[in-house]
Amino acid sequence: MTPELRSERLLLSAYVAADEPHFVALFQDAAVGRWFGDGVQSAAEDRALFGRIFSLVYAEERFPVWAVRYAGRYVGHAEIKPSPESWLDGHEIVYGLTRESWGLGLGTELARLLTAYGHETLGLAEVHATVDSENTASLAVLKRLGYTQDRTVPEDNGRTTLLLTSRPAAPPPVGG
């Protein structure tokens, strides 16, 4: 269910048990974890989340979830899944990179790979991303890749989530 994906510099593969400390460290880093779900949780909650990747997501083949590697090292987390949001009927990409890998263009490379997988492999007409309005780095990456803002969603905690969508470019007209 979780195929291996490659780009020029990245390898996305299914998690293995040995990735747990890296996964937990990623989600525990306040600069990274604040953008995932409800923000930074306890280390115990992140370990339980890691366990659910195996016991639920992989076991039931729900959707692809990847460990992201660069130069043989764990540098992040990625997934493409049906959106859990009641107001969004579609698939969304989720990704995060370790602070040490920022500034290398890996976010753009990763989001491009996930978007292409959604359009080309899953056959999705739309690939979505839900992003906190203050997450300027992710917003810049997605806009660079041609995502357009479709919706602004006020959250109960006072923050704002933006819905961005990628639609494949229309093919040129035949015989045009």
Side-chain angles (χ1 to χ4, degrees):
M1 174 70 183
T2 297
E4 189 173 275
L5 302 180
R6 292 180 181 270
S7 65
E8 182 179 327
R9 300 178 295 165
L10 298 175
L11 169 64
L12 280 62
S13 58
Y15 275 100
V16 296
D19 290 324
E20 182 179 23
H22 305 294
F23 175 92
V24 172
L26 176 72
F27 280 70
Q28 286 293 294
D29 183 337
V32 179
R34 72 187 223 162
W35 305 122
F36 285 118
D38 294 325
V40 178
Q41 307 292 313
S42 71
E45 289 170 307
D46 289 337
R47 282 191 292 279
L49 176 61
F50 185 79
R52 286 192 301 277
I53 291 172
F54 294 92
S55 65
L56 291 175
V57 178
Y58 289 165
E60 297 178 7
E61 297 186 354
R62 291 186 175 188
F63 51 86
V65 177
W66 295 276
V68 180
R69 300 182 200 289
Y70 167 66
R73 293 183 350 266
Y74 178 91
V75 296
H77 172 85
E79 51 191 79
I80 184 166
K81 64 182 183 179
S83 178
E85 303 293 346
S86 60
W87 47 265
L88 176 56
D89 182 22
H91 283 68
E92 66 179 289
I93 61 172
V94 177
Y95 61 91
L97 294 170
T98 60
R99 200 183 315 201
E100 297 77 30
S101 65
W102 293 355
L104 302 174
L106 299 179
T108 301
E109 194 169 325
L110 177 56
R112 181 180 292 117
L113 189 59
L114 294 171
T115 302
Y117 180 80
H119 289 310
E120 297 165 14
T121 302
L122 299 180
L124 301 173
E126 296 181 328
V127 174
H128 304 285
T130 54
V131 183
D132 187 293
S133 64
E134 294 181 18
N135 188 345
T136 56
S138 280
L139 291 170
V141 162
L142 295 167
K143 288 181 181 180
R144 192 174 307 122
L145 295 177
Y147 277 73
T148 56
Q149 185 177 328
D150 282 350
R151 188 170 179 180
T152 301
V153 182
E155 300 291 348
D156 293 338
N157 63 5
R159 301 187 73 97
T160 301
T161 295
L162 303 179
L163 170 64
L164 290 94
T165 303
S166 169
R167 294 172 183 87
V174 177

